[in-house]
């Protein structure tokens, strides 16, 4: 009996080391927190309706501008950008519950992001409310250094409710190339956001 | 019990073996009692049973405490109890009923085309002072349709002429017209306004969530969902 036990000892040692090694090696399969709880992203192109679980978004127009003018009577003069303004017109429809806190970013090909500018009263912002099943049309305005505009996408995230954990996110390729950016001196006039008229039948599938 | 008590699992011949080199003769016999051990012992049944009991406990207990804490703090929304038209129910010491809703479709060509303003008339009568305080603490409204869509009340039309009605304040808790607690025993009208797509008006039910516990950290919210009928054509 004793002899048999002693004979198993090297085998146990090898098993122990092998299992220990396996435990360490399998750590490689661990998924990072931001991948477990990060936003659930959908993507699409300009002109198509990109749907997530909580909203749909459609980019209807994009302009690269030198100056942008608010329609607000308090500040009617054109405002010049430090770089260029990228103005993105969107149509956003909440499909299940109202979107109260959102985040819009412009993401370049190298994954640099720019937050939406808060300069303009008429522009959409993170605090704009998107009521359920009522399309809202308006523009997000981004201020970007001229040489950094490189195949930008609009990344729109609903961060309200449970924070940004498992948030619904849409990424829309804007189809803008560097040629459209150089010498952008046009002026864009903003209008206040509009609520959809009669086209409210954007029901969830 | 001594620490190295051989005990019942090691039957007879193996335990007292003082000689380091046993005689070669009885070796085959020694193997037999090992196989003769009862099945439940060979399967380690007590460990299996302990695992069967402890594993559900280890999973279930944290789940239960999470659910309990979530319900107390309000992070888990409570299940709404349905209330029929013209029914009066008691919740957290107050009586509630809904008179109905008034739908005002937006005019064609206006900014509200395709949308409808829905005003819902709630009545609340707090039973006592503590019920009245609970109303001021947490009192939320929501309109829901049969397809899982929901709308929050809007304050966009709060400056309309209401023709002599004196509704209470509903923006932060349910309070009287002067933002003071509703006195116990008073029938207070609360007017809740929604802006919804016109096609959704027919399907709407009106949800109410109030605190049932005076502690600020654990409001223990409870919900009712009222069916309502249109008061105008």
């Amino acid at each position: 009996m004793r002899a048999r036990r002693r004979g198993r000892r090297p085998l146990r040692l090898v098993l122990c080391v092998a299992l220990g090694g396996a435990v360490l090696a399998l750590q490689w399969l661990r998924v990072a927190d931001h991948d477990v709880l990060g936003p659930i992203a959908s993507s699409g192109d300009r002109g198509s309706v990109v749907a997530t679980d909580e909203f749909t978004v459609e980019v209807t127009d994009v302009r690269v501008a030198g100056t942008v003018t608010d329609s607000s009577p308090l500040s009617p003069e054109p405002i010049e950008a430090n770089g260029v303004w990228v103005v993105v017109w969107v149509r956003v429809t909440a499909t299940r519950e109202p979107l109260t806190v959102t985040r819009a970013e412009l993401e370049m090909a190298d994954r640099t992001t720019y937050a939406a500018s808060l300069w303009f009263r008429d522009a959409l912002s993170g605090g704009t409310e998107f009521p359920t099943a009522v399309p809202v049309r308006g523009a997000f305005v981004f201020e970007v250094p001229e040489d950094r505009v490189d195949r930008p996408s609009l990344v729109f995230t609903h961060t309200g409710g449970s924070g940004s954990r498992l948030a619904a996110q849409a990424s829309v390729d804007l189809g803008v190339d560097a040629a459209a950016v150089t010498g952008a001196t046009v002026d864009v006039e903003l209008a206040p956001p509009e609520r959809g008229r009669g086209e409210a039948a954007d029901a969830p599938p | 019990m001594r620490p190295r008590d051989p005990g019942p699992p090691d039957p007879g011949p193996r335990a007292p073996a003082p000689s380091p080199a046993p005689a070669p003769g009885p070796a085959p016999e020694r193997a037999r009692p090992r196989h003769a051990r009862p099945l439940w012992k060979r399967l380690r049944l007590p460990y299996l049973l302990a695992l069967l009991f402890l594993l559900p406990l280890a999973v279930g207990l944290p789940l239960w405490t999470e659910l309990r804490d979530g319900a107390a703090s309000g992070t888990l929304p409570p299940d709404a109890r349905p209330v029929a038209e013209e029914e009066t129910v008691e919740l957290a010491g107050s009586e509630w009923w809904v008179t109905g809703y008034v739908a005002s479709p937006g005019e064609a060509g206006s900014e509200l085309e395709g949308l409808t303003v829905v005003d819902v008339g709630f009545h609340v009568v707090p039973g006592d002072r503590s019920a009245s305080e609970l109303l001021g603490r947490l009192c939320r409204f929501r309109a829901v349709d049969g397809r899982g869509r929901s709308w929050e009340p809007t304050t966009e039309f709060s400056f309309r002429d209401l023709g002599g009605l004196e509704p209470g304040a509903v923006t932060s808790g349910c309070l009287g017209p002067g933002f003071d607690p509703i006195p116990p025993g008073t029938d207070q009208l609360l007017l809740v306004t929604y802006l919804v797509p016109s096609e959704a008006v027919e399907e709407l039910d009106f949800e109410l969530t109030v605190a049932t516990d005076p502690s600020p950290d654990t409001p223990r919210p409870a919900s009712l969902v009222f069916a309502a009928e249109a008061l105008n054509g």
Side-chain angles (χ1 to χ4, degrees):
Chain A
M1 195 76 223
R2 288 256 160 96
R4 241 166 78 193
R5 271 191 191 163
R6 215 171 284 135
R8 276 185 192 167
R9 208 167 271 170
L11 179 68
R12 280 188 192 167
L13 195 73
V14 168
L15 257 176
C16 215
V17 170
L19 281 174
V23 166
L24 289 178
L26 286 173
Q27 300 291 318
W28 174 74
L29 289 176
R30 270 178 59 138
V31 182
D33 272 1
H34 60 86
D35 287 331
V36 176
L37 295 170
I40 300 172
S42 312
S43 54
D45 294 320
R46 170 179 168 186
S48 66
V49 178
V50 182
T52 69
D53 273 0
E54 293 170 7
F55 60 85
T56 62
V57 56
E58 180 184 3
V59 172
T60 51
D61 197 10
V62 181
R63 296 279 286 281
V64 181
T67 54
V68 167
T69 313
D70 241 344
S71 74
S72 144
L74 292 173
S75 57
E77 79 271 20
I79 294 172
E80 207 170 306
N82 292 307
V84 289
W85 296 115
V86 179
V87 188
V88 184
W89 279 270
V90 294
R91 186 162 173 270
V92 176
T93 313
T95 46
R96 301 182 59 81
E97 53 188 59
L99 312 182
T100 49
V101 189
T102 54
R103 187 177 65 220
E105 290 165 321
L106 201 63
E107 188 178 272
M108 303 304 167
D110 64 354
R111 302 187 72 77
T112 314
T113 58
Y114 295 86
S117 167
L118 302 175
W119 264 108
F120 306 100
R121 268 183 47 158
D122 286 343
L124 299 174
S125 73
T128 308
E129 191 171 332
F130 300 94
T132 313
V134 180
V136 173
R137 269 165 294 183
F140 284 111
V141 182
F142 302 90
E143 191 174 26
V144 186
E146 207 169 335
D147 56 341
R148 299 303 295 269
V149 181
D150 179 20
R151 284 163 288 152
S153 314
L154 174 76
V155 179
F156 184 69
T157 313
H158 177 211
T159 55
S162 50
S164 39
R165 302 201 296 172
L166 298 174
Q169 185 176 73
S171 169
V172 187
D173 187 349
L174 299 182
V176 171
D177 52 10
V181 180
T182 45
T185 49
V186 279
D187 178 63
V188 164
E189 234 174 89
L190 293 179
E194 267 178 50
R195 275 185 299 227
R197 289 182 187 161
E199 305 156 58
D202 287 16
Chain B
M1 222 187 233
R2 286 170 303 162
R4 291 293 306 244
D5 191 352
D10 268 348
R14 275 173 58 201
S19 65
E29 278 174 19
R30 195 167 292 164
R32 189 167 289 164
R34 184 166 256 264
H35 289 280
R37 281 198 300 171
L39 184 67
W40 66 270
K41 244 181 216 174
R42 265 189 281 150
L43 289 179
R44 308 216 190 287
L45 215 52
Y47 292 105
L48 258 173
L49 285 176
L51 198 68
L52 275 182
F53 173 71
L54 287 175
L55 201 66
L57 206 69
V59 174
L61 208 65
L63 182 67
W64 177 73
T65 53
E66 271 313 277
L67 291 177
R68 190 197 54 186
D69 293 352
S73 66
T75 47
L76 282 179
D79 284 335
R81 180 152 55 97
V83 181
E85 284 171 18
E86 294 176 16
E87 193 186 337
T88 300
V89 285
E90 193 262 327
L91 183 64
S94 302
E95 278 191 358
W96 287 91
W97 72 94
V98 168
T99 45
Y101 68 85
V102 177
S104 327
E107 281 168 33
S110 78
E111 205 224 347
L112 296 178
E113 185 181 346
L115 305 176
T116 297
V117 180
V118 177
D119 292 293
V120 193
F122 283 87
H123 282 266
V124 61
V125 183
D128 52 23
R129 188 173 292 280
S130 68
S132 162
E133 271 170 27
L134 283 176
L135 287 178
R137 206 171 281 283
L138 170 71
C139 188
R140 267 200 315 257
F141 298 90
R142 212 166 66 118
V144 293
D145 75 353
R147 290 187 276 168
R149 300 187 296 175
S150 65
W151 288 266
E152 305 277 341
T154 174
T155 52
E156 203 175 322
F157 309 99
S158 44
F159 296 108
R160 286 171 303 172
D161 179 18
L162 293 172
L165 290 179
E166 281 197 39
V170 291
T171 44
S172 165
C174 289
L175 300 167
F179 292 92
D180 38 357
I182 302 165
T186 314
D187 175 358
Q188 176 63 56
L189 167 71
L190 302 171
L191 210 53
V192 186
T193 309
Y194 299 95
L195 184 64
V196 301
S198 299
E199 40 93 17
V201 174
E202 291 284 304
E203 312 165 41
L204 288 183
D205 284 325
F206 303 100
E207 194 183 273
L208 158 78
T209 305
V210 294
T212 60
D213 189 312
S215 148
D217 293 330
T218 59
R220 239 170 260 288
S223 281
L224 299 172
V225 57
F226 291 86
E229 57 180 359
L231 295 180
N232 60 345

